[in-house]
Amino acid sequence: MAAPLRVLACGDVEGRLETIFGRVRAIQAKSGRFDMLLCVGNFFGSSSEAEWAEYRTGAKKAPIPTYVLGANNQDTLSYFPDISGCELAENITYLGRRGVFSSCSGLHIAYLSGTEAQEQPAPAHSFSAKDVAELKTSLLSTPNFRGVDILLTSPWPRDVGTFANSAGEIDTKTCGSKLVSDLAASVKPRYHFAALEKAYYERLPYRNHTVLQETPQHVTRFIALADVGNTSKKKYLYAFSIVPMSSMDPAELVKQPQDVTENPYRKLRKEAAKARAEEEPARQFFFDLNKHQGKKRPSDGKQGGDSQSKQAKKPPQPTGPCWFCLASPEVEKHLVVSIGTHCYLALAKGGLSPDHVLILPIGHYQSVVDLSSEVLEEVTKYKAALKEFFRSKGKRYVLFERNYRSQHLQLQVIPVPLDLCTSEDIKESFITQAQEQQIELLEIPEHSDISQVAQPGMPYFYVELDTGEKLFHRIRGRFPLQFGRAVLASAAVLALPERADWRQCAAPRPEEEGQARAFRRDFQPFDFSLRD
């Protein structure tokens, strides 16, 4: 493990530079050198100019690398000449409006300057919902993002005192910013510092996961600091040691202290989880709805029998619009290549190759685990037909399912030329890339049923080779949506890295129609639905 960094954090300096830097010198003389000082709240005050001039001109120098947030009011805007961040004086750096500062030791510090805007457009000393959204996006899009080491904001997060020890005279239900709460809930800092309320409050650490439902994660410690040199002797300077998350043993990182509490932003987290559960932008695949041999097939596959019996056997209905149900009114028919009794095939929009195909149930089922026996039987028949078809063309197939952030089962079937790589190469590529992303991908027995390892409603990722070999990962937290496709697009398999994201690969409609016609023609001798 890397050596810990020694860090100081302080509240509103308000121009009292001699007070804060004198205190830092005294601490370092007694306890040894610290690596940095992080300042939240108002660094400058209305009467800062005289003291500041000595540091700005170089007559005096900060005793430690000092990082500050920007203005919280109109009066001090002039002290920050570059909104994107800059060196204000030797050893004193303005971080910028928003962003992430990464030290050479690997410490990641997210920061947001200003107070929450109460009007639009936001004043120069305020942040808006857009600022917070862009900062969240920049962090959450990072591969394997687990959180940041430190978050710096000037305002407190709203509701931070929920489930926790008292914040004294500060009412955390009315104090602070909801946008800061949203940011903290999303970026999961190990330490979060704030100021502006002229109060010291060290909250009990809180969880960043739901017990028994999510993989354990590190805790967050929120610490609000008082103003520098306050006459009430409230704590304004906080010293701590920290090993960067990137250098820590994962088991050590997620240890839970005895006094840990529930997440104060649980409501926000539930709302975010609900949003994540909604299907990703889904105009990826489009299917024929309206005709198959002149009539619509019943979803239970039976032409007779009483209506009550058929009603009982229908799959569950989607809770909202579903792009993949064959009964959806939003479909296009040009990509459908085969329709059976319970399932159908369609080419993928933006496929890895022109013969990248999907097996989908006609009715609404979320995953293979949810399928009725007759639907599962037809899925098996389509897999066998595709195996024979692709082998006739000198290819093997790889099938995967991602039961996460999707509401309708999609079995993606991607052919790989036999002379390009072996099935063992493909399996090794999945396992290697999973390990690199800390995804536990387990091999399960070839003749096992996936329902033996996954229960209905459980998120999972599943790979099957046409040799019968199977890999399985139970999703407990976040999961990269394009993982299966990215592995197959990598240099170790298809060597098509530019096609890792389907959204960059969509072809014009005439080209799609041509690919579908060619697939239907070639697949016809193997298509059991035409013989049944």
Side-chain angles (χ1 to χ4, degrees):
M1 186 183 293
L5 295 166
R6 305 183 73 210
V7 181
L8 292 168
C10 77
D12 306 86
V13 176
E14 295 185 333
R16 304 183 186 99
L17 304 180
E18 285 301 291
T19 302
I20 184 60
F21 290 142
R23 181 75 180 126
V24 169
R25 290 188 188 98
I27 289 174
Q28 293 198 128
K30 181 178 180 180
S31 304
R33 182 162 182 79
F34 280 75
D35 294 284
M36 64 182 73
L37 169 65
L38 307 174
C39 302
V40 292
N42 297 311
F43 186 71
F44 295 103
S46 56
S47 57
S48 297
E49 188 53 41
E51 278 193 51
W52 176 239
E54 295 184 293
Y55 288 89
R56 189 185 69 244
T57 59
K60 290 184 177 179
K61 175 185 172 181
I64 184 174
T66 301
Y67 300 91
V68 309
L69 294 180
N72 296 299
N73 53 61
Q74 190 69 33
D75 296 342
T76 56
L77 271 176
S78 60
Y79 288 100
F80 302 95
D82 186 345
I83 193 171
S84 61
C86 59
E87 185 178 75
L88 300 178
E90 186 176 0
N91 252 7
I92 303 177
T93 301
Y94 163 47
L95 288 168
R97 184 182 181 92
R98 65 175 185 272
V100 181
F101 171 76
S102 299
S103 74
C104 57
S105 60
L107 193 72
H108 292 295
I109 304 172
Y111 56 88
L112 180 68
S113 290
T115 55
E116 181 174 337
Q118 302 301 311
E119 57 190 60
Q120 293 298 331
H125 61 272
S126 297
F127 57 83
S128 65
K130 181 181 178 183
D131 291 311
V132 171
E134 290 180 358
L135 178 53
K136 284 168 53 179
T137 298
S138 69
L139 284 164
L140 298 180
S141 61
T142 306
N144 305 317
F145 178 76
R146 292 181 294 170
V148 296
D149 292 299
I150 299 171
L151 173 62
L152 305 178
T153 64
S154 288
W156 290 30
R158 182 74 58 85
D159 291 325
V160 69
T162 304
F163 308 125
N165 49 316
S166 171
E169 297 178 0
I170 306 299
D171 181 359
T172 60
K173 294 187 180 300
T174 58
C175 156
S177 162
K178 288 185 178 179
L179 289 178
V180 171
S181 300
D182 178 39
L183 179 63
S186 298
V187 306
K188 302 174 185 174
R190 294 165 64 199
Y191 286 87
H192 179 182
F193 294 97
L196 294 184
E197 301 299 327
K198 300 187 183 300
Y200 168 70
Y201 174 49
E202 184 169 359
R203 189 201 186 279
L204 292 173
Y206 63 81
R207 299 184 186 95
N208 281 298
H209 66 277
T210 303
V211 177
L212 300 179
Q213 295 182 33
E214 298 175 312
T215 302
Q217 299 182 47
H218 58 270
V219 302
T220 295
R221 290 172 166 84
F222 172 75
I223 298 152
L225 294 162
D227 49 318
V228 170
N230 66 85
T231 56
S232 302
K233 306 295 183 182
K234 295 176 183 176
K235 187 170 183 174
Y236 63 81
L237 191 63
Y238 185 90
F240 65 109
S241 295
I242 184 170
V243 174
M245 186 185 302
S246 57
S247 300
M248 287 190 69
D249 176 80
E252 189 68 25
L253 176 65
V254 302
K255 279 187 176 178
Q256 305 291 297
Q258 288 186 344
D259 56 353
V260 68
T261 78
E262 289 297 320
N263 194 301
Y265 320 120
R266 189 164 60 182
K267 184 177 179 181
L268 279 172
R269 294 180 75 243
K270 284 184 177 179
E271 291 170 355
K274 183 178 179 182
R276 286 197 302 271
E278 293 176 359
E279 187 177 3
E280 63 181 307
R283 292 188 68 90
Q284 181 175 359
F285 315 109
F286 304 95
F287 315 109
D288 187 0
L289 165 66
N290 296 316
K291 56 185 179 179
H292 180 66
Q293 299 180 346
K295 62 182 177 182
K296 178 179 170 184
R297 291 176 178 261
S299 62
D300 65 357
K302 296 184 179 180
Q303 305 298 322
D306 75 39
S307 60
Q308 295 286 350
S309 175
K310 283 201 281 187
Q311 181 70 23
K313 292 187 177 181
K314 284 184 178 179
Q317 297 303 302
T319 55
C322 179
W323 295 100
F324 307 104
C325 286
L326 208 54
S328 170
E330 300 292 335
V331 298
E332 297 178 36
K333 60 186 178 183
H334 66 287
L335 291 177
V336 170
V337 292
S338 173
I339 304 179
T341 304
H342 306 289
C343 303
Y344 63 101
L345 298 184
L347 291 188
K349 196 172 186 71
L352 274 167
S353 61
D355 45 5
H356 175 170
V357 68
L358 300 173
I359 306 173
L360 303 108
I362 290 172
H364 186 76
Y365 294 91
Q366 179 162 330
S367 72
V368 165
V369 177
D370 298 307
L371 294 181
S372 63
S373 57
E374 59 267 26
V375 181
L376 187 58
E377 181 181 353
E378 193 163 278
V379 167
T380 303
K381 290 175 72 173
Y382 265 123
K383 288 197 293 187
L386 288 169
K387 177 179 179 178
E388 189 179 357
F389 168 60
F390 287 131
R391 287 292 173 136
S392 74
K393 292 182 170 295
K395 301 176 182 181
R396 59 169 50 86
Y397 78 62
V398 182
L399 176 150
F400 68 83
E401 176 195 0
R402 189 197 74 233
N403 182 31
Y404 170 76
R405 286 188 63 182
S406 60
Q407 60 171 322
H408 191 110
L409 168 62
Q410 304 153 50
L411 293 176
Q412 309 237 6
V413 185
I414 298 92
V416 178
L418 289 168
D419 58 1
L420 201 59
C421 56
T422 66
S423 59
E424 193 63 31
D425 293 332
I426 296 170
K427 184 170 71 171
E428 187 61 33
S429 295
F430 270 100
I431 292 172
T432 299
Q433 294 196 41
Q435 289 173 341
E436 290 174 358
Q437 299 190 46
Q438 297 182 321
I439 295 170
E440 186 181 29
L441 199 56
L442 303 174
E443 190 164 1
I444 59 177
E446 292 180 23
H447 301 292
S448 64
D449 189 299
I450 192 169
S451 63
Q452 295 174 271
V453 292
Q455 301 299 317
M458 174 194 295
Y460 63 83
F461 176 78
Y462 168 69
V463 182
E464 182 178 325
L465 306 181
D466 66 359
T467 57
E469 295 169 279
K470 301 172 184 176
L471 302 170
F472 176 84
H473 168 66
R474 178 179 178 180
I475 299 174
R476 299 177 184 273
R478 295 178 60 81
F479 185 80
L481 298 182
Q482 302 291 340
F483 175 71
R485 184 173 174 126
V487 172
L488 294 172
S490 68
V493 186
L494 290 171
L496 297 170
E498 72 280 3
R499 301 191 72 82
D501 187 339
W502 71 269
R503 289 165 292 194
Q504 308 302 318
C505 306
R509 177 161 177 151
E511 184 177 335
E512 292 176 337
E513 290 174 337
Q515 291 172 355
R517 282 195 301 270
F519 191 99
R520 289 190 202 101
R521 181 190 65 238
D522 295 347
F523 184 62
Q524 186 171 345
F526 306 88
D527 190 351
F528 64 88
S529 71
L530 300 178
R531 302 190 294 269
D532 288 352

